[in-house]
Amino acid sequence: MAPSKQYDEGGQLQLMDAERIEEEEECFESIDKLISQGINSGDVKKLQDAGIYTCNGLMMHTKKSLTGIKGLSEAKVDKICEAAEKLLSQGFMTGSDLLIKRKSVVRITTGSQALDELLGGGIETLCITEAFGEFRSGKTQLAHTLCVSTQLPIHMHGGNGKVAYIDTEGTFRPERIVPIAERFGMDANAVLDNIIYARAYTYEHQYNLLLGLAAKMAEEPFRLLIVDSVIALFRVDFSGRGELAERQQKLAQMLSRLTKIAEEFNVAVYITNQVIADPGGGMFITDPKKPAGGHVLAHAATIRLMLRKGKGEQRNKDC
């Protein structure tokens, strides 16, 4: 039988089931555990200063990048990686074991039953979900709804966790969270307190915010990371075909970081994307637009949602 809803004295739905949070605290190994394996605490502090707060995240870095951290020699990096490997199981596993591991995946409701059915239950953790479309097609509105639904308990198809929001276009509006929270019967102030927000102005700033996010996710129960939009600053900071190769390389690094965050902390990553005109779409294509970012972005996203305008205030979606 499903657990009953829990309300406070004011009739508001309580946020985040504490027991569930405690059960999931050990989904990653803290970088501090390296000290018990003989690693100097000073070297652990250097890793944390570089944005590495878990052993899982450490193993997602190449030795080349680790030796780039000031004060870490090749010998020290080898010793650190060897210690991390003892704490983690990074080798092969059977399909049955992977199936059991996949049970930790959480599906967060979008607030739309039709869209949830299309997604197989909602936005998944451990992967990137991309929504692309022209302006006013509903990408940011979906992001605002997810900010609230993520904080619902698991048995109500929520994520039972906090939300991190990186805004590259200045479109986040906290006042829009209030009516959405009221729709779900939640305390709007409590919902807003569980959302951390940052405005990014350059692609470098955007990447640095992701590096700093690891510290927060290692300490608090986050379940969703939103980047709205992932491509906007790259289109501004890189111009012309002469810089296209460098732009795509930097974009790939950004997307790789997002994927690692999703897998390291079992969070869902929701990114919005812009569209560009597709002159090669052909004369028989009624809407010759395609998502920006090229193949690099297409390969990074596990799920791609195309949102388009309908009649009036109607919005259509394809998966």
Side-chain angles (χ1 to χ4, degrees), residues 251-315:
L251 178 60
Q253 292 172 353
M254 177 88 63
L255 293 167
S256 174
R257 183 60 189 157
L258 288 173
T259 301
K260 290 172 181 176
I261 287 174
E263 295 185 9
E264 183 178 354
F265 299 104
N266 191 22
V267 300
V269 176
Y270 173 76
I271 61 175
T272 66
N273 191 13
Q274 301 171 347
V275 293
I276 57 176
D278 184 12
M283 60 182 295
F284 300 107
I285 304 298
T286 57
D287 190 22
K289 298 183 182 70
K290 62 181 181 181
H295 295 297
V296 168
L297 188 47
H299 287 301
T302 304
I303 300 165
R304 307 194 87 185
L305 291 171
M306 181 179 72
L307 303 181
R308 50 191 172 85
K309 300 175 184 177
K311 294 181 179 179
E313 295 299 314
Q314 184 181 10
R315 299 294 180 267

Side-chain angles (χ1 to χ4, degrees), residues 31 42-54 57-58 61-62 65-72 77 80 207-215 257 264:
I31 200 74
D43 292 335
V44 171
K45 180 64 167 59
K46 291 171 185 174
L47 292 171
Q48 292 173 331
D49 291 341
I52 303 172
Y53 286 83
T54 70
L58 172 68
H61 287 73
T62 63
S65 66
L66 292 175
T67 53
I69 299 173
K70 187 176 180 180
L72 294 184
V77 168
I80 289 170
Y207 188 78
N208 289 335
L209 286 171
L210 292 178
L211 293 178
L213 195 57
R257 183 60 189 157
E264 183 178 354

